[in-house]
Amino acid sequence: QVQLVESGGGLVKPGGSLRLSCAASGFNFRDYYMSWIRQTPGKGLEWVSYISSSGHAIYYADSVKGRFTVSRDNSNNSLYLQMNSLRAEDTAVYYCARDKRLFCRNGFCYGSLFDDWGQGTLVTVSS
Amino acid sequence: DIQMTQSPSSLSASVGDRVTITCRASQSIDNYLNWYQQKPGRAPKLLIYTASSLESGVPSRFSGSGSGTDFTLSISSLQHEDFATYYCQQSHSTPFTFGPGTKVDIK
């Protein structure tokens, strides 16, 4: 069955960096878009970023653009999120999710749905 | 960005009750609307996609409807395991956005 396991969370000071990893198994990882989604008690669920199956299409939420970088290694079935210049408001549980697309047209895929999620990893940004 | 709202923010219901949750988008999203269930300490779980399609393995007591800006999630006969928080999410355009959630608890 599909399994997504995040790691790399922890306590970091404001301005610091952290790299999250997500190990995928149970499906053809290279065939799927993947997303990072975070959750805080105050702001609820917030989509952070997605990366296409090939890695050629990448999008970020404005709140993390320029500070976070998503990447993937299809040979190792792994997804990553490099987080730099961290702020207190980045404190959240971070989930990786399989980002299933319903149809593709002209090299881009649409109709995103998050059909499998990891267990989440907690990132705390505090001095 | 497309804003998603949900009502009510919480509700109390009994086992066997029919429950309806509403989600509204700030602009038309066609039928690009998904519903998730989340229990405490767990990741969200996909229930419904494209407004009305039931995800594999999800009980048929769950159903979704709507298009454009107004959507509903219905549970025909609430079971013990359905007490949870429910979120809608639009996938019409980035940034993908979620509603604030509706918590369903036991009356």
Side-chain angles (χ1 to χ4, degrees):
Chain A
Q1 74 281 17
V2 172
Q3 194 167 11
L4 298 168
V5 180
E6 303 95 337
S7 60
L11 175 63
V12 62
K13 289 182 167 53
S17 297
L18 216 52
R19 189 194 197 207
L20 305 183
S21 299
C22 173
S25 60
F27 65 103
N28 290 327
F29 180 75
R30 65 181 65 246
D31 291 341
Y32 285 85
Y33 283 48
M34 296 294 293
S35 274
W36 287 99
I37 298 157
R38 66 187 181 183
Q39 185 170 30
T40 64
K43 288 191 70 177
L45 288 162
E46 181 185 17
W47 170 81
V48 171
S49 175
Y50 79 67
I51 183 168
S52 65
S53 52
S54 66
H56 291 156
I58 289 174
Y59 276 83
Y60 299 99
D62 284 348
S63 57
V64 307
K65 200 175 296 182
R67 300 187 299 121
F68 290 12
T69 302
V70 64
S71 62
R72 64 190 295 160
D73 180 349
N74 286 344
S75 62
N76 284 315
N77 295 339
S78 294
L79 174 72
Y80 305 101
L81 186 68
Q82 177 66 43
M83 304 186 296
N84 297 332
S85 303
L86 282 161
R87 307 167 179 166
E89 54 265 35
D90 296 318
T91 295
V93 174
Y94 284 73
Y95 296 100
C96 67
R98 191 170 77 168
D99 185 343
K100 184 177 178 180
R101 299 297 171 111
L102 296 173
F103 66 95
C104 299
R105 183 168 58 212
N106 297 326
F108 194 79
C109 297
Y110 304 84
S112 168
L113 55 104
F114 307 123
D115 66 343
D116 279 285
W117 300 58
Q119 84 287 354
T121 187
L122 177 62
V123 172
T124 303
V125 184
S126 174
S127 54
Chain B
D1 297 2
I2 298 174
Q3 308 303 317
M4 306 300 293
T5 58
Q6 288 181 234
S7 62
S9 56
S10 65
L11 65 92
S12 296
S14 302
V15 172
D17 284 353
R18 179 178 181 84
V19 167
T20 299
I21 299 168
T22 297
C23 176
R24 177 166 287 173
S26 59
Q27 63 189 72
S28 177
I29 57 171
D30 299 322
N31 67 339
Y32 292 106
L33 190 284
N34 306 317
W35 288 98
Y36 301 86
Q37 176 194 66
Q38 187 177 33
K39 297 180 180 179
R42 306 287 296 274
K45 171 189 171 184
L46 178 67
L47 296 177
I48 302 280
Y49 61 95
T50 55
S52 61
S53 297
L54 194 67
E55 172 70 346
S56 176
V58 174
S60 59
R61 63 181 178 273
F62 290 92
S63 63
S65 65
S67 66
T69 60
D70 295 313
F71 303 86
T72 59
L73 172 70
S74 296
I75 310 172
S76 60
S77 177
L78 200 66
Q79 300 300 301
H80 283 290
E81 59 267 31
D82 301 336
F83 292 98
T85 301
Y86 295 85
Y87 297 92
C88 60
Q89 174 246 329
Q90 65 83 16
S91 61
H92 179 274
S93 53
T94 52
F96 302 136
T97 45
F98 291 83
T102 296
K103 184 177 182 180
V104 177
D105 61 22
I106 301 173
K107 183 183 288 184

